[in-house]
């Protein structure tokens, strides 16, 4: 298990984490910031110039889950992780990857009033005697107060909140330990095993009466997606698409969907690639749209979007596949793609 202590700078994550080690038997401190420092030493400096924070590196986010899994083969756990995580899509990616490894997460937000945070940051001194370095750290910490305020709506909805405004580090740790023992902060997230070889996946495009396409926002990975999923062993792809739509959205398709696109996705480490099929599930009436379900453990949101809006939400590979699927729908003829490019 991982006890993830979230919160902005000045909330008391690190001090509470050290106190928490005394209260949770077998616990070990796990600081993903060390992974960021390691990447800074190993990656070319130019790569870091391309991002605002090491959290923006896909390698860091993958290493967080991989390293946690490796540590839990050496220690009994839980891992106590004091780490600010303000971007919801990064939370999805990391926590989803942990769920795929059957590693439960207790997400706890340490919160304090802004005046308290500013006062704590003003007295923050990580490098004794180095005024320049300490001033830089304080500026960095203050700069994160606004993003933290913007992230609070999803953070308070996702995590168990402990207000540290008037608590000592020990009292904070005691509140966290009590919450963890009670099961608070558990992330009810679908456990999707990571592929170990090429996969076959079937997605279904559903439309409204304005010909906008339905996209869903999974809780277990970053980015928007089409309804659908991996085809199970021995299962027909079209049947898999119908099954996934029923399981995810509660929509029973009246007839088998029509194939629009078959796309071979090239392996790109750490991914294995495979065949990706998109089907036309037809147009949903307003009555059926009103009955759409939203399983909290799997999907956070859904929306109908235009092609232009989809380009802003989907990763490039998925949008390219959608673009060709829409052209195939217009022409009434399925398309065969290889790595996103039509062939034949």
């Amino acid at each position: 298990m991982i006890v993830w202590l979230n919160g902005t700078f000045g909330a008391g994550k690190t001090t509470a984490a050290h106190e928490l080690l005394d209260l949770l038997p077998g616990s070990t401190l796990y600081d993903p910031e060390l992974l960021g420092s390691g990447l800074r030493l190993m990656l070319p400096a130019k790569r870091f110039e391309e991002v605002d924070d090491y959290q923006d590196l896909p390698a860091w986010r993958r290493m967080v889950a991989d390293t946690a899994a490796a540590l839990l083969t050496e220690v009994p756990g839980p891992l106590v992780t004091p780490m600010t995580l303000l971007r919801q899509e990064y939370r999805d990616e990391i926590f989803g990857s942990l769920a795929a490894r059957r590693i439960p997460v207790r997400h706890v937000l340490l919160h304090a009033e802004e005046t308290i945070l500013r006062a704590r940051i003003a007295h923050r001194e990580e490098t004794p005697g180095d005024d320049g370095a300490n001033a830089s750290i304080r500026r960095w910490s203050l700069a994160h107060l606004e993003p933290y305020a913007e992230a609070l709506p999803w953070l308070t909805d996702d995590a168990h909140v402990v207000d540290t405004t008037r608590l000592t580090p020990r009292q904070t740790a005691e509140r966290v330990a009590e919450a963890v023992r009670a099961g608070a902060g558990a992330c009810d997230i679908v456990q999707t095993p990571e592929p170990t070889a090429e996969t076959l996946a079937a997605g279904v495009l559903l439309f409204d009466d304005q010909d906008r396409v339905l996209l869903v926002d999974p809780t277990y990975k970053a980015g928007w997606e089409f309804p659908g999923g991996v085809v199970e062993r021995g299962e027909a792809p079209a049947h898999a698409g119908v099954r996934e739509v029923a399981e995810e959205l509660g929509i029973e398709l009246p007839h088998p969907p029509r194939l629009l696109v078959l796309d071979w996705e090239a392996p790109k480490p750490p991914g294995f690639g495979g065949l990706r099929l998109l089907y036309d599930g037809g147009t949903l009436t307003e009555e059926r749209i009103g009955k759409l379900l939203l399983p909290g453990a799997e999907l956070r949101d859904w929306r109908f979007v235009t092609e232009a809006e989809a380009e802003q939400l989907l990763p490039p590979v998925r949008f390219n596949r959608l673009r060709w699927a829409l052209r195939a729908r217009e022409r009434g003829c399925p398309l065969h793609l290889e790595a996103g490019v039509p062939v034949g």
Side-chain angles (χ1 to χ4, degrees), residues 15-84:
T15 51
H18 284 282
E19 294 284 354
L20 194 57
L21 297 178
D22 292 335
L23 302 174
L24 297 179
S27 59
T28 299
L29 185 69
Y30 171 39
D31 186 359
E33 188 171 348
L34 298 175
L35 303 176
S37 301
L39 285 173
R40 191 174 294 278
L41 294 173
M42 291 182 282
L43 290 176
K46 183 179 179 181
R47 180 68 182 101
F48 273 86
E49 294 172 1
E50 299 170 350
V51 299
D52 295 326
D53 189 290
Y54 59 72
Q55 291 194 7
D56 298 328
L57 296 170
W60 179 83
R61 301 192 297 274
R62 181 172 181 82
M63 287 172 65
V64 170
D66 289 347
T67 305
L71 283 174
L72 288 171
T73 66
E74 303 286 347
V75 298
L79 302 180
V80 178
T81 306
M83 189 74 224
T84 300

Side-chain angles (χ1 to χ4, degrees), residues 261-306:
V261 158
L262 184 153
D263 186 14
W264 173 77
E265 184 175 297
K268 183 179 179 182
F272 291 89
L275 288 179
R276 309 289 180 253
L277 291 82
L278 279 183
Y279 292 90
D280 184 355
T283 300
L284 300 179
T285 63
E286 286 192 17
E287 181 182 0
R288 294 179 77 194
I289 292 172
K291 295 179 180 178
L292 285 175
L293 301 178
L294 199 65
E298 188 165 1
L299 299 179
R300 179 183 297 108
D301 197 6
W302 59 265
R303 67 177 67 171
F304 284 96
V305 298
T306 64

